[in-house]
Amino acid sequence: MTRRLAQVAQKVGVSEATVSRVLNGRPGVSRTTRQSVLTALDVLGYERPTQLRGERARLVGLVLPELQNPIFPALAEVIGGSLAQQGLTPVLCSQARGGVSEADYVELLLQQQVSGVIFAGGLFAQADEPHEHYRRLADRRIPVVLINASIEGLDFPCVSCDDAVAVEQAWRHLESLGHERVGLVLGPSGHVPSRRKLAAAHAVAGALPAEHVERSLFSLEGGQAAAARLLERGVTGIVCASDPLALGAVRAARRRGLDVPGDVSVVGFDDSAFMNCAEPPLTTVRQPIEAMGRAAVELLCTLVQSGSVPPGELLFEPELVVRGSTAQARR
C-alpha cells in the first residue's frame, strides 16, 4: 500500500497524504487533482478502491492497425493532442503481426474502465472479419468512434474521408493528362474503404476492365507486386489506395525500366509524411487528418457527456495534391 501511494504521488506530483485522501473518499482535494490521481492509478495498473470502481477512468483507447504507415502516427498525434485538451489521456494500442490482437486490446481497455475508444483502421474496416469485440463494447455502452469505415448493425458514429470524391479527383487528373488505360491498386476484397473506391472508379470510368483492378495488402511490397501485374497489361496511369502502395508502384515501374512520370503516372492516397520528399515527389489525394481527428474526439466527448450523437457518417472532403509522379501521357 505504501509503495502504491508513493508511486501514484510521484506520477501526479502531489503528496502521499493527498493520494490517501482521494483513495479513501475524503474531502479537501480539488476535482482536477482527484481525477489525476485516479488516472494515475489506471495508468500504473492498480485497481481502484471498491467505492471508486463505478467511475470511468479519464482514459480513452486509441486503437491503430499499425504504425509503419506514416498516416497513423500523424492521426495519433492529432487525436492525442485533442484528447489532452479535453482532460483525457490516450492509451495507444498498436497492432503487430503475432502481437496483441484487437480483441485482446478491447479486453484490456475494458479492464481499465476507459471512458471510450477510437478505432482508426482495423478489423471493423474488414467486412469479413470477426466483429464480436465491437459488439461487446456496444453491450457495455462504452462510447466508440470509428474512422474511415462503419460496422453494419452497430450505430457507432463514424468520421470518414470521402472515398468517392478521392477517386474521382485522382481519375479525372489522370484523364486530363491523356491517360486512357488507368489501373487501380486497392486493399483486400473485404476492406470497406477499398470497396467504396472501386465503386467510385466504376462510376467515373464508365467501363473499368476487371484486369485493370488489383488488390494487395497495404504495404510497399504489396503495391509493387500489384502494380507490376497492371504494367504487364499496359496501363499508363495507376491510382493507389494508400501512399505506401503508390511507392511500391513507383518501384515496380523502375524495375521494368520505365520512367515515372515519363512512362507511367502514379497517384497515392493519404498525403502522409515525406511524400513530397519521395523521388519523384508523389502526387496524392490528401486526407484532412487534422479535421477528422478533432471531429472524432468531439464526437467521443459528446457521447461521454450526453450518451448520444446525431446518427450518420461525417464525410470530409479530400484534396488532390499534384506533384512530380504524374505527367502527360506519351503519344
Side-chain angles (χ1 to χ4, degrees):
M1 180 65 175
T2 303
R3 180 172 176 269
R4 178 175 67 169
L5 287 175
Q7 285 187 318
V8 174
Q10 182 180 12
K11 188 166 189 66
V12 179
V14 297
S15 68
E16 293 182 28
T18 298
V19 174
S20 179
R21 283 196 292 272
V22 172
L23 298 184
N24 290 292
R26 294 173 184 166
V29 181
S30 70
R31 182 177 179 275
T32 301
T33 300
R34 185 171 179 275
Q35 290 294 347
S36 297
V37 169
L38 294 177
T39 299
L41 277 175
D42 298 322
V43 170
L44 292 170
Y46 291 124
E47 282 193 21
R48 295 186 178 202
T50 304
Q51 70 272 21
L52 299 177
R53 289 178 189 170
E55 296 187 21
R56 285 258 159 81
R58 300 288 288 175
L59 302 176
V60 171
L62 174 55
V63 184
L64 304 176
E66 58 164 315
L67 290 177
Q68 291 185 335
N69 185 337
I71 201 66
F72 291 115
L75 192 56
E77 183 178 8
V78 172
I79 291 174
S82 297
L83 288 171
Q85 290 175 355
Q86 300 293 330
L88 297 166
T89 302
V91 179
L92 181 61
C93 304
S94 175
Q95 299 167 66
R97 291 183 183 179
V100 180
S101 70
E102 193 174 83
D104 290 337
Y105 272 132
V106 167
E107 180 63 32
L108 291 171
L109 293 171
L110 286 173
Q111 290 175 10
Q112 294 296 321
Q113 297 189 0
V114 293
S115 294
V117 186
I118 297 176
F119 291 91
L123 297 182
F124 71 89
Q126 300 284 350
D128 51 359
E129 291 289 343
H131 291 165
E132 288 80 6
H133 52 291
Y134 301 111
R135 298 188 184 280
R136 189 166 179 215
L137 288 168
D139 293 341
R140 293 278 292 271
R141 299 186 181 278
I142 304 296
V144 172
V145 176
L146 308 176
I147 296 180
N148 273 338
S150 57
I151 302 175
E152 188 174 348
L154 292 176
D155 58 352
F156 293 147
C158 182
V159 174
S160 297
C161 182
D162 195 323
D163 291 300
V165 173
V167 168
E168 182 177 2
Q169 288 178 346
W171 211 276
R172 297 297 188 202
H173 173 60
L174 291 178
E175 284 185 336
S176 72
L177 295 173
H179 292 277
E180 299 176 352
R181 299 187 302 279
V182 178
L184 194 60
V185 177
L186 300 172
S189 59
H191 185 244
V192 174
S194 291
R195 288 182 174 181
R196 292 177 173 180
K197 288 181 173 68
L198 179 60
H202 279 294
V204 70
L208 180 63
E211 61 268 22
H212 285 185
V213 179
E214 284 291 337
R215 296 189 177 275
S216 164
L217 297 176
F218 282 100
S219 66
L220 189 148
E221 293 78 13
Q224 179 181 346
R229 293 190 290 272
L230 291 176
L231 292 172
E232 289 176 358
R233 298 163 195 157
V235 303
T236 64
I238 302 177
V239 175
C240 300
S242 77
D243 289 339
L245 290 175
L247 294 178
V250 172
R251 180 192 283 180
R254 287 176 172 164
R255 292 286 173 87
R256 293 177 63 87
L258 300 175
D259 178 69
V260 177
D263 300 307
V264 180
S265 287
V266 177
V267 182
F269 177 76
D270 283 337
D271 194 27
S272 45
F274 308 121
M275 291 304 103
N276 60 330
C277 301
E279 183 51 46
L282 187 67
T283 294
T284 186
V285 180
R286 177 182 294 159
Q287 287 200 73
I289 291 300
E290 183 81 23
M292 290 170 61
R294 290 189 177 278
V297 172
E298 289 176 11
L299 283 173
L300 186 77
C301 289
T302 302
L303 280 173
V304 170
Q305 293 164 8
S306 66
S308 65
V309 295
E313 181 178 25
L314 297 182
L315 285 178
F316 285 76
E317 194 86 356
E319 176 188 0
L320 178 68
V321 181
V322 179
R323 298 193 181 105
S325 66
T326 53
Q328 200 74 30
R330 292 189 187 278
R331 292 298 181 187

